[in-house]
Every structure is written in structure tokens, then in C-alpha cells.
Amino acid sequence: MSSSTTGSNEPEPTEGLKAFGAVLKSFRKRAGYTQESLAPEIGYSTHFLASIEQGRRFPPPVFVDRCEATLDAFGTLRVAVSQLSKQRGLASWFRRWAQLEREAIALYTYECRLIPGLLQTPAYARTLFLNQLPPLGDDQIEAQLAARTERQLLLTERPNTAFSFILEEHLFLRRMGGHEVTMELIDHVLGLAERRNIELQIMPLERKSHAGLDGPIRLLETPENRWFAYAEGQESGQFISDPKVVSMLQMRYARMRAQALPFEQSVSLLEQMRGA
């Protein structure tokens, strides 16, 4: 796993993550490894390992398992990571999905309500948090912004993961946050669309048939080639593992890919909105 992201783009360490990082560092030194020598042993970059030890990244399950085996940590790392299950800034119902995202080899997202978190700019995300009711406190907003920023590292640190996004045209026409926030958002999305592993499609305002009328869809494929889905409501989220339901949602997503504008036309439409 490679990283093209600098530390300045990572969230500030939390006490729980720093504690896990300290435990990991202790076992690494006990086993006689440097960060440079351990990283290839567990299949991660030195930068990624350093970020974990500094408390700037949440350790994925596979990472923990490999460290346990390589460092002979007596199960201590698994116990330590279990204490991090209540991640600050992430809704309780979303944490299981967020955990799987970190190892997914494919992530598909259809949204009709707002720009997905992985594609949001800080200004757009802050606008959403400021509009929440009941109102959020400043500390809550900053925690959610930090969590969102950390999730977005998936787009740059997982170049072999296939990302697909189908977004309704009206999400950009709404101009949430105002003109400048929207223009920045469009520029940001267009920039991400240049990455080889990111496929972007816009569902136009006028469409005679639409397979996504039942709401947003999220799908992912694990390294073991298992598929899961996730659906979120006002104050709840549903993790879906039933193969029949997942298959149904895959069918709907595949149909929407045919109904939405192709990639080139989607990019062209955004460029028109931007005034290019």
C-alpha cells in the first residue's frame, strides 16, 4: 500500500490512537524491527506504519492481524484496537462500514441527497455540519471534520481500489454553502475524476427511467471477494450482508450505470457548471 499524502493532511492524533501507536511501537522495538524493516514484512508502507504509531490513522483489521503475527504480540494489539471501536467523529452505526472501507478492493456509491463524504471539500462538509439540527458544538464539528478528512485518504492511499460514484445532477445545482463553496466543490470533484481508479457518473435531471428511486446505495467488495451493502437514514444505518439483498442492490446499481451519463459526458457537464 503506497501513500502520496503528506502528514499535514492527516487528522490530529486522539488519545486512544496515540495509546495504540505507543503499544505497537513497543512491540516493534521488542521484536527488533525498525519502521523501515517492519513495513514490508506486513505489506504496508513505512509512511502508513509511521502514521499508525503517531496516532494519525485508525489501524485496519488486516494491519492489526499481520502485526500480531509478525511481532508475536500475545493478542495485545487486538485488545488495544478493540478499545478504539468508538471512533470520535463517526456515527456508531457507520463504524463497521468504515472499518471495511479501509480494506475494500471496490467501493460503489450512489447518492441523491448530498455529495458523498469521500468527495466533499472541507468547506462543503463544514456547511453540512453547521446545518445539522440539533446544532453541533464547535468541538463536535471539528471532530467530524477530522474523521471525514481521514476517510478521504482512502482515495489517495488505495490506488488499486476501484471507486465508482453516481451522483444526481441536482446535488451540484443546489449550491449548498453558496456559489464559491460549490465552485470549489466542482473543481475538487473534477480533480479526483482524473485519477485512474475513480469513475464518476452524473445522473441527469431528466430521466424517463431510474433504478435508484428507493434511495442511496453503497456497495463494497472485500479482499476475499465478498460483497456487502450499506443504507443510511436520518439517524440510523443498516449494514447489509444478506447475499440476496446485496445482489438486488448490485442489479440496481448496474442499471443506474447504464442510465447515468457516461464518464466523459459527466465531466463535460461539471465543466459547464464550472464555466469552463
Side-chain angles (χ1 to χ4, degrees):
M1 297 181 180
S2 62
S3 171
S4 59
T5 310
T6 61
S8 61
N9 288 331
E10 295 174 335
E12 288 301 311
T14 65
E15 292 305 315
L17 289 175
K18 285 193 291 186
F20 177 87
V23 172
L24 173 60
K25 182 178 180 180
S26 176
F27 274 102
R28 172 176 62 77
K29 289 187 171 182
R30 170 184 170 274
Y33 285 99
T34 63
Q35 289 181 344
E36 291 75 15
S37 62
L38 177 60
E41 289 289 325
I42 60 176
Y44 286 82
S45 69
T46 302
H47 171 79
F48 189 95
L49 175 58
S51 294
I52 297 289
E53 289 193 356
Q54 293 164 8
R56 294 183 178 274
R57 291 297 308 270
F58 192 94
V62 172
F63 174 89
V64 176
D65 289 342
R66 292 176 182 175
C67 286
E68 275 283 354
T70 304
L71 302 178
D72 191 21
F74 313 110
T76 305
L77 295 177
R78 291 193 183 95
V79 172
V81 80
S82 69
Q83 304 304 310
L84 300 175
S85 60
K86 293 185 176 181
Q87 293 166 257
R88 193 165 176 251
L90 289 181
S92 58
W93 58 81
F94 185 72
R95 290 171 192 147
R96 185 178 181 188
W97 181 262
Q99 192 175 45
L100 285 172
E101 276 186 330
R102 297 187 188 94
E103 300 295 331
I105 61 174
L107 276 165
Y108 299 166
T109 303
Y110 162 66
E111 257 298 349
C112 57
R113 305 166 304 176
L114 67 155
I115 301 298
L118 288 175
L119 302 181
Q120 294 175 9
T121 61
Y124 180 89
R126 187 178 292 276
T127 297
L128 297 179
F129 296 144
L130 289 173
N131 277 273
Q132 282 195 21
L133 293 173
L136 298 175
D138 291 343
D139 289 345
Q140 292 173 302
I141 291 176
E142 293 307 316
Q144 293 197 24
L145 282 172
R148 188 143 301 176
T149 299
E150 182 180 10
R151 277 190 66 226
Q152 290 174 346
L153 293 177
L154 290 172
L155 297 176
T156 54
E157 291 193 343
R158 298 195 59 79
N160 300 119
T161 296
F163 294 91
S164 169
F165 296 94
I166 301 176
L167 309 178
E168 292 287 346
E169 181 181 354
H170 70 253
L171 297 179
F172 297 95
L173 297 177
R174 181 175 293 140
R175 299 192 184 279
M176 177 67 71
H179 178 77
E180 290 185 6
V181 170
T182 302
M183 294 302 102
E184 180 190 33
L185 175 68
I186 293 175
D187 281 343
H188 178 66
V189 172
L190 285 171
L192 290 173
E194 294 177 359
R195 302 184 70 89
R196 291 190 300 274
N197 63 325
I198 297 178
E199 178 183 343
L200 173 71
Q201 291 183 262
I202 302 297
M203 185 70 77
L205 286 176
E206 295 187 17
R207 179 59 69 198
K208 290 184 178 179
S209 58
H210 195 317
L213 296 180
D214 283 342
I217 294 175
R218 298 191 195 192
L219 295 160
L220 67 74
E221 183 181 7
T222 71
E224 298 76 31
N225 304 116
R226 294 188 62 194
W227 283 87
F228 296 100
Y230 176 78
E232 191 168 276
Q234 287 278 336
E235 284 296 319
S236 64
Q238 181 184 10
F239 181 83
I240 303 169
S241 59
D242 185 336
K244 291 184 179 180
V245 180
V246 172
S247 177
M248 176 190 70
L249 295 176
Q250 287 176 312
M251 187 183 303
R252 293 177 181 177
Y253 196 90
R255 179 63 59 85
M256 279 192 288
R257 275 182 150 174
Q259 294 169 335
L261 297 176
F263 175 79
E264 292 79 8
Q265 292 182 29
S266 297
V267 169
S268 178
L269 178 59
L270 289 178
E271 288 175 341
Q272 290 176 29
M273 292 184 189
R274 185 65 181 86

